[in-house]
Amino acid sequence: MLNSSALIERRNAVGLFSKSSGNRGSGPARPYPKSFAGWEAPSTFATVDDSMEFQAEFEALFAGRNVEDINGAEFDDWAYLVRERNNPDDYAAVCIWIQGHFIGRLDRATAGKYVVEMNGLDAQELNLVVPAHLWAQRTKTRLANRVTLSLPPVGGVGPVNFFPKKAFTILPPGDEILLEDFENNVEPLRPFISTGKTVPVALMMIEDGGGLGAYLDKKTYVGRVPTEKAELIVPLVRTAVAHKLIPVARGMLTGSNIRNDLSIVSGDTSTVGSHWTPTHDGGK
């Protein structure tokens, strides 16, 4: 099984309040330096079709493994998914890379489900990194192969707005908490209501003892964490700040342009304890 701490090292996201030029060039879209693992645990699977086209790549991936065994050889690794905007044959094409080897693309139906969120990650020069299970077996004529990807649910892949440019940490998952005072500050979020439901928000102490606020950036206030919940989250926020990291929680928009709510999903000291150690999940 893959180690979740290893995933943390691989999910680093780039600063996202800036615009990117996209992934250009000939051939399959290559991975960006930074990746994002998605907000939710994998809940669906996609299988990469066996193909003669990538025999050399699978020979390299399975070098030293007993592919002659009657059951073949298998191992777990990470796959890096990259949006391929310039593909003339598939408007939603997503390239798959493992250990630096291009091993194919997501099937059209699966790629189409994730196209909006993959476009969002691509605009921020991010890969989606997911667990992959690889299998191969030597036959008389070829190296038969199969790759199974574990994908987050649609809606849990990536952000709609941008992460902070500066170094940040993603707070551990936990309860869904409805923010207060959101109805008076909904205007900055209107662009995201129609395009998606996931909005990364920074949690910061409100000046003058006003509690724990949620911000799209340092200046754009969008709501306040209820006092009872804030008391349990504040120690995590202070720990992140002590490590010079901006604490970021997953914000979830619900409703429509007429009526809507904003919640955050965040753990607290009751779920992760008082000795939580933040990770540098992106930014500079």
Side-chain angles (χ1 to χ4, degrees), residues 49-64:
D49 292 336
D50 186 353
S51 173
M52 287 290 291
E53 182 181 354
F54 303 109
Q55 287 290 288
E57 285 74 14
F58 280 94
E59 289 284 1
L61 287 168
F62 280 87

Side-chain angles (χ1 to χ4, degrees), residues 7-24:
L7 177 56
I8 292 173
E9 294 301 318
R10 288 166 171 77
R11 74 177 184 179
N12 290 339
V14 74
L16 307 178
F17 286 110
S18 60
K19 294 183 178 179
S20 70
S21 58
N23 196 334
R24 299 193 178 102

Side-chain angles (χ1 to χ4, degrees), residues 3 19 43 71 93 104 123-124 128 255 273-274:
N3 189 308
K19 294 183 178 179
S43 64
N71 295 314
Q124 300 168 68
L128 175 65
S274 58

Side-chain angles (χ1 to χ4, degrees), residues 40-46 114 131 149-156:
E40 298 181 37
S43 64
T44 188
F45 300 96
Y114 291 93
L149 305 175
S150 300
L151 302 174
V154 175

Side-chain angles (χ1 to χ4, degrees), residues 171 201-205 212-215 225 233 237 246-249 264 266:
L171 293 171
V201 294
L203 299 185
M204 295 183 284
M205 301 301 298
L212 185 62
Y215 297 79
V225 180
I233 298 174
V237 169
I246 298 172
V248 172
I264 62 167
S266 176

Side-chain angles (χ1 to χ4, degrees), residues 200-224:
V201 294
L203 299 185
M204 295 183 284
M205 301 301 298
I206 301 173
E207 295 182 2
D208 302 323
L212 185 62
Y215 297 79
L216 287 186
D217 53 52
K218 284 189 174 181
K219 296 181 180 179
T220 310
Y221 169 80
V222 292
R224 181 178 62 249

